Amino acid sequence: MSAAVSRPGCVRRVRVLHRVRRLRTGPALADGALVAAAGAELLTVVGEVGPLTLAGYVLAVGALAVRRRRPLLVVLATVPAAMTGYLWLAPMFALGTAARLVRSGALVGGAAAAVFVAAAAPLAYEIQRAGGAGSPAVLAAGLLGPALLAAGPTLLGRVARSRRALAERLTEARAALAREHRLAEERAAAAERARLAREMHDIVSHHVSRIAVEAGALSVTAATPEARRAGVRIGRISSLAMTELRDTLGVLRDRETAVSGPGSLADLPSLVAGSGVDTSVTDRVPASAELGAETEYAAYRTVQEALTNIVRHAPGARAEVVLAFRDDVLLVEVTNGPPAGGTPATGALDPGEGPGLGEGPGLGLVGLRERAALLGGSLEAGPAGDGFLVRARLPRSATAPGG
């Protein structure tokens, strides 16, 4: 299995190395080919020139190896060779490279003019020796070669530079188009989140509001004090549910501007007060702990789920919430005793074994464990004597993936 998995990765790495090697060796091979071609031309005139002229030819051919780094200097190095009228490949290669790499058109034009003048120098010398300008036809024919030597490589180099610039602009345009496409997709996703948020708000808030209204009526009209207190608790829970619903839907509308609601350690007193569970809270977290928002939110949800399940599965049981900070880890413990009737508690998070409230199997324990694991922490839950214990260990500062 490991060999099958690693083989595609090895193939990709080999391809990348091959491309890098090809990019590195491509210019070197081109430079070598040009130097070889100019050197071959040099060998054809070795026996026809003197030592000084031959040294100028060797300099022109050797300078081609650095024409990419110093294009204008290489052109100047080939000017003496062009002046003799015997060696043309080196000036042509150097001038074409300068026209392709140098941005300034004036500098390129000056280099081309220098090569033209140098190549036309032998003709001027012959005309001077002849004692006259000669016929216009002979003069034009004599200047055609130097003109082609200077104009041809210059035009080809500028065309290659223009094509490269056009390719770069096309690449930038494609990248800009891709960015616009991503932005359009993000805007569409944001609009869809906003639509879903509106629909969820309209549907869920209607039913939760009805629960709050019924709970308010129960707290006033119930025959027994216990029923009235239950109505008050249900009303508080409904109000808290509406607040959290608005906050959650606010995240769907705009994650950047969503208003933060209940979900920090500072909100635990109100959570405990509205839970309907006789709970004592022991907070041993120092003020200097500086816990992350995701860590506080996970701690809040752990306590909330534990208290909710105490109401479901151990009604009337007393609970204790302990918060402590050890070794950069937030420790959250929720312990409950047996129900008020004396029957041992089935567990604050055991699914589907509480009083007949109509719930199916719950996923509270699974959700808490997943939340803790996503933050790099852990959660354990199980019987503790006659009651039940939920213990979460959460890192000081953590960020949920995708947050």
Side-chain angles (χ1 to χ4, degrees):
M1 178 62 72
S2 60
V5 173
S6 62
R7 183 176 179 182
C10 294
V11 173
R12 285 194 295 270
R13 285 193 293 271
V14 169
R15 289 176 179 174
V16 170
L17 291 175
H18 177 69
R19 291 173 183 173
V20 171
R21 191 178 298 111
R22 185 173 58 186
L23 290 175
R24 290 178 178 175
T25 58
L29 291 176
D31 292 341
L34 293 184
V35 172
E41 184 187 27
L42 172 61
L43 294 177
T44 63
V45 299
V46 168
E48 302 180 13
V49 298
L52 185 60
T53 303
L54 182 61
Y57 287 173
V58 172
L59 174 64
V61 173
L64 292 177
V66 295
R67 77 189 198 284
R68 298 178 187 274
R69 295 192 292 273
R70 296 289 186 270
L72 293 177
L73 291 179
V74 173
V75 171
L76 295 179
T78 61
V79 167
M83 190 177 296
T84 64
Y86 286 103
L87 200 66
W88 279 24
L89 287 183
M92 290 175 61
F93 294 154
L95 187 56
T97 302
R100 181 169 57 89
L101 298 181
V102 177
R103 178 182 300 178
S104 173
L107 292 177
V108 174
V115 172
F116 172 77
V117 172
L123 176 62
Y125 178 73
E126 293 294 334
I127 292 175
Q128 184 181 5
R129 285 185 58 185
S135 65
V138 173
L139 182 62
L143 293 178
L144 180 61
L148 292 177
L149 172 65
T154 302
L155 292 176
L156 291 177
R158 299 311 280 182
V159 168
R161 180 177 179 84
S162 298
R163 289 188 61 184
R164 186 178 65 179
L166 179 60
E168 292 176 353
R169 284 194 288 270
L170 288 176
T171 301
E172 294 175 355
R174 283 193 290 267
L177 183 62
R179 288 194 297 270
E180 290 295 330
H181 184 66
R182 287 196 303 270
L183 290 176
E185 290 180 346
E186 292 175 359
R187 287 193 291 267
E192 182 66 14
R193 286 197 302 268
R195 185 186 67 82
L196 291 174
R198 288 192 298 269
E199 292 183 0
M200 289 177 63
H201 181 272
D202 294 342
I203 296 172
V204 180
S205 64
H206 170 71
H207 296 293
V208 176
S209 298
R210 288 185 59 186
I211 294 174
V213 171
E214 295 294 335
L218 179 64
S219 64
V220 175
T221 61
T224 63
E226 181 61 29
R228 289 193 293 270
R229 285 193 295 270
V232 172
R233 288 196 301 271
I234 295 173
R236 291 175 181 173
I237 295 173
S238 301
S239 177
L240 181 61
M242 283 297 299
T243 302
E244 294 181 352
L245 174 64
R246 285 192 296 268
D247 295 334
T248 303
L249 297 182
V251 173
L252 287 175
R253 292 190 185 100
D254 189 351
R255 294 182 59 181
E256 299 296 331
T257 59
V259 179
S260 60
S264 66
L265 296 183
D267 301 313
L268 283 181
S270 59
L271 172 66
V272 171
S275 66
V277 179
D278 184 6
T279 307
S280 62
V281 179
T282 304
D283 189 353
R284 299 171 184 167
V285 179
S288 58
E290 296 183 357
L291 301 173
E294 289 289 342
T295 298
E296 292 202 25
Y297 187 75
Y300 178 90
R301 287 302 185 191
T302 300
V303 176
Q304 182 185 50
E305 187 68 23
L307 295 179
T308 300
N309 283 279
I310 290 172
V311 173
R312 291 177 180 173
H313 309 306
R318 299 186 73 259
E320 180 181 7
V321 177
V322 177
L323 304 175
F325 190 70
R326 302 173 187 170
D327 300 328
D328 279 353
V329 173
L330 176 63
L331 182 65
V332 182
E333 293 185 350
V334 182
T335 308
N336 65 277
T343 304
T346 58
L349 293 175
D350 284 354
E353 295 185 8
L357 298 177
E359 300 95 340
L363 294 178
L365 179 58
V366 176
L368 290 181
R369 282 178 174 158
E370 290 177 351
R371 184 184 298 277
L374 286 174
L375 298 180
S378 62
L379 182 135
E380 57 187 63
D386 292 336
F388 204 79
L389 170 65
V390 178
R391 179 185 292 118
R393 293 181 175 87
L394 306 170
R396 172 199 292 264
S397 180
T399 302

